[in-house]
Amino acid sequence: MSIIGLAFFVSIVGLTLVVTWWAAKRTNTASEFYTAGGGLTGWQNGIAIAGDYLSAASFLGIAGAIALNGFDGFFFSIGYLVAYLVVLYIVAEPLRNLGKYTLADMITARFNQKKIRATAAFSTITIVIFYMIAQLVGAGALIQLLLGIDYWIAVLIVGTMMTIYVLFGGMAATSWVQIIKAVLLMIGTVIISFLVLMKFNFNILEMFSQMKTATPLGENFLNPGVKYKNPIDTMSITMALVLGTAGLPHILMRFFTVKDAKTARSSVVVATWIVGIFYILTIFLGFGAAAFVGADDIIAANAAGNMAAPLLAQALGGDLLMSFVSAVAFATILAVVAGLVLSGASAFAHDIYGEIIKKGKITEKQQMLAARYASITVSVLSVVLALFAQKMNVAFLVSLAFCVAASANLPVIIYTIYWKKFNTTGAVTGMIVGLVSALVLVAISPNVLSPEGTAILVGNPIFPLTNPAIVSVPLGFLGGYLGTVLSAKADARKYAEVTVKANTGLKG
């Protein structure tokens, strides 16, 4: 790696460590650790949300997916973008009004039961682990390519960095690392997109015309069906992406970092603009990589295509641009994994230890200590699992996390806010059915079982779809419905109180 590239890496790491040092001095209470004391403004939180959301899967995975699979890779961009409409119109405001630190807080605002909190915490931790593996795989591939070090060492480096951010700086450090990363990522993406357009004489129609002959796929590059030949599979993946965001713990947690629901709503609007612009630009990243790097070189660098964007930067701007883009991608991963560690740690420390084991009778010092121990636990577990997932595309891995979130969390969130008869049994049943069905169907899908040995295990897949959302999401809703109607009646008075609070922020 060049001296310039190393300088970029060192500068970004140094900047984030300075931010962590600054935040550590301001993180003394559980509220400051989990939610930065609710002191972020709408635009700050909006940029941070975008920074949290635009992960390695977006920058590395989608660019590679489009470059290798054409239009089918763009399904990820469409799904991620549309997902924010669900967050904006259904989830953001009620969640901020009802919750405190975690998703479990929001649900137990209506059902104050330990088993609900335990189930929600387990769901959160499962989703965090899936998502974390994706980020660490991307980080490992990136650092392995640039620094020439072993994959496992690269994963350990990122794992150590993310633990430092959360351990000392909490949500304040995590938020500002995400803000810095979002700005740098947009700058890098705009520069690459500009250079790609320049190669096509700033003519988008010419770009599409040339792409018909620029890859071995020919005209099929611009048509669906290259990777996802089964239309039901395509629908299933899209469903996971569109509905999953509203159930992702690390995204939901961000709404507790602002003072009220109005600010939460403005955060989503800011985030939607940034995310929207970015995902439109992924077209240029993918097309450019396909045209100016080529499928063979992309696959040679990383079989899953995760290095398409850095290789495109090198092809268009030499080592200088590649170094900058790679350093930004590294910052992207650090920012996202820090948010994931924080949401996983909050589920362990706040929900399981603080509210279940200690029954809410816990001091600030105990809560902070538990949160830091939990951060280390989540980090170590994620790193160990990531060491076995090196060859998997990060965009695909994230789509599985979205599937679990859409199946286990979203049905319960919607029922809690909008269904008067919903009760404790329904909440627990909905989360368990959604979570278990998603995990089981993934375990027997082509992603895990393959006759050729291209997946994790050798064998014939029992479930035919690569993403089970089209089955598991309805099962999550069905589980919540049946659990409710087959058990005791709901507390109508409690629902009325929750409805008032969800819509106004006032206590009913």
Side-chain angles (χ1 to χ4, degrees):
M1 185 180 184
S2 66
I3 296 177
I4 295 175
L6 187 60
F8 274 127
F9 267 82
V10 172
S11 297
I12 284 181
V13 170
L15 178 60
T16 55
L17 288 176
V18 169
V19 169
T20 303
W21 172 78
W22 167 81
K25 297 190 298 181
R26 292 161 175 79
T27 304
N28 302 307
T29 67
S31 175
E32 289 167 345
F33 186 87
Y34 291 131
T35 64
L40 295 184
T41 65
W43 70 266
Q44 288 171 343
N45 196 43
I47 298 175
I49 290 173
D52 210 351
Y53 194 63
L54 299 177
S55 63
S58 300
F59 190 57
L60 300 177
I62 292 179
I66 294 175
L68 298 179
N69 304 308
F71 185 86
D72 280 5
F74 190 59
F75 277 125
F76 289 101
S77 293
I78 298 170
Y80 289 144
L81 176 55
V82 175
Y84 261 93
L85 297 178
V86 180
V87 177
L88 177 61
Y89 289 111
I90 297 178
V91 174
E93 188 171 340
L95 185 78
R96 175 61 189 82
N97 285 333
L98 294 174
K100 184 179 181 183
Y101 298 145
T102 65
L103 170 64
D105 286 337
M106 178 262 189
I107 299 171
T108 53
R110 182 172 172 188
F111 312 112
N112 191 18
Q113 298 284 336
K114 288 184 179 180
K115 54 188 174 184
I116 288 181
R117 190 175 287 277
T119 308
F122 181 72
S123 174
T124 292
I125 293 164
T126 303
I127 295 165
V128 163
I129 295 299
F130 263 120
Y131 214 116
M132 185 84 77
I133 293 171
Q135 307 309 313
L136 292 176
V137 168
L142 180 69
I143 300 175
Q144 183 182 29
L145 174 68
L146 296 171
L147 302 183
I149 60 178
D150 290 341
Y151 171 83
W152 70 271
I153 298 176
V155 170
L156 287 178
I157 290 173
V158 177
T160 302
M161 290 297 300
M162 71 188 184
T163 307
I164 290 173
Y165 295 150
V166 177
L167 208 57
F168 298 105
M171 180 58 86
T174 299
S175 296
W176 281 103
V177 168
Q178 289 165 345
I179 290 171
I180 293 168
K181 161 258 171 143
V183 173
L184 291 174
L185 180 62
M186 289 304 296
I187 290 172
T189 304
V190 168
I191 290 173
I192 296 176
S193 299
F194 177 83
L195 294 176
V196 169
L197 266 176
M198 188 168 68
K199 289 283 188 178
F200 291 108
N201 302 313
F202 298 101
N203 188 328
I204 293 179
L205 294 178
E206 181 180 334
M207 178 181 73
F208 276 86
S209 177
Q210 289 191 29
M211 291 309 299
K212 293 180 181 179
T213 56
T215 73
L217 298 175
E219 292 190 3
N220 289 331
F221 185 83
L222 300 178
N223 299 320
V226 171
K227 180 175 178 62
Y228 303 111
K229 302 184 184 300
N230 184 345
I232 297 178
D233 204 5
T234 304
M235 290 174 59
S236 190
I237 290 172
T238 305
M239 178 182 288
L241 300 179
V242 170
L243 299 179
T245 301
L248 289 175
H250 66 294
I251 298 296
L252 299 179
M253 194 175 182
R254 293 228 55 91
F255 297 124
F256 304 133
T257 63
V258 295
K259 61 182 180 180
D260 53 34
K262 181 181 178 182
T263 312
R265 195 164 55 248
S266 68
S267 299
V268 180
V269 173
V270 171
T272 302
W273 275 103
I274 297 172
V275 168
I277 293 170
F278 175 83
Y279 283 124
I280 290 172
L281 295 180
T282 58
I283 298 174
F284 304 111
L285 298 181
F287 281 18
F292 307 121
V293 178
D296 292 341
D297 288 342
I298 293 172
I299 294 172
N302 180 267
N306 294 325
M307 291 299 100
L311 291 173
L312 173 61
Q314 185 177 42
L316 298 178
D319 289 340
L320 177 64
L321 184 57
M322 181 190 185
S323 298
F324 174 72
V325 167
S326 299
V328 170
F330 182 61
T332 294
I333 293 164
L334 290 178
V336 174
V337 294
L340 288 166
V341 170
L342 194 55
S343 60
S346 68
F348 269 123
H350 175 66
D351 292 325
I352 296 176
Y353 180 73
E355 296 295 330
I356 297 175
I357 297 176
K358 301 292 286 186
K359 300 178 181 178
K361 298 176 182 178
I362 182 172
T363 65
E364 288 285 344
K365 184 177 181 180
Q366 288 174 322
Q367 181 107 293
M368 293 287 288
L369 192 62
R372 289 186 166 123
Y373 280 134
S375 299
I376 296 173
T377 301
V378 171
S379 298
V380 170
L381 181 59
S382 300
V383 166
V384 170
L385 292 175
L387 295 176
F388 296 95
Q390 180 178 0
K391 296 182 180 179
M392 302 186 76
N393 181 278
V394 291
F396 159 72
L397 284 169
V398 167
S399 73
L400 295 184
F402 274 66
C403 175
V404 176
S407 305
N409 290 351
L410 183 62
V412 176
I413 292 172
I414 292 177
Y415 282 152
T416 299
I417 300 170
Y418 299 107
W419 189 19
K420 184 176 182 178
K421 295 182 179 180
F422 194 47
N423 60 22
T424 300
T425 305
V428 173
T429 305
M431 280 188 283
I432 292 177
V433 170
L435 179 65
V436 172
S437 63
L439 294 178
V440 170
L441 292 175
V442 166
I444 59 175
S445 74
N447 306 300
V448 176
L449 298 171
S450 167
E452 299 84 14
T454 54
I456 298 175
L457 302 174
V458 178
N460 293 313
I462 300 170
F463 183 74
L465 305 180
T466 58
N467 191 299
I470 200 167
V471 176
S472 59
V473 172
L475 284 177
F477 278 99
L478 182 62
Y481 173 77
L482 292 178
T484 298
V485 299
L486 297 178
S487 61
K489 293 182 179 179
D491 184 344
R493 184 169 179 270
K494 186 66 175 177
Y495 172 74
E497 293 175 3
V498 167
T499 301
V500 170
K501 190 174 181 181
N503 288 284
T504 66
L506 301 173
K507 292 183 179 180

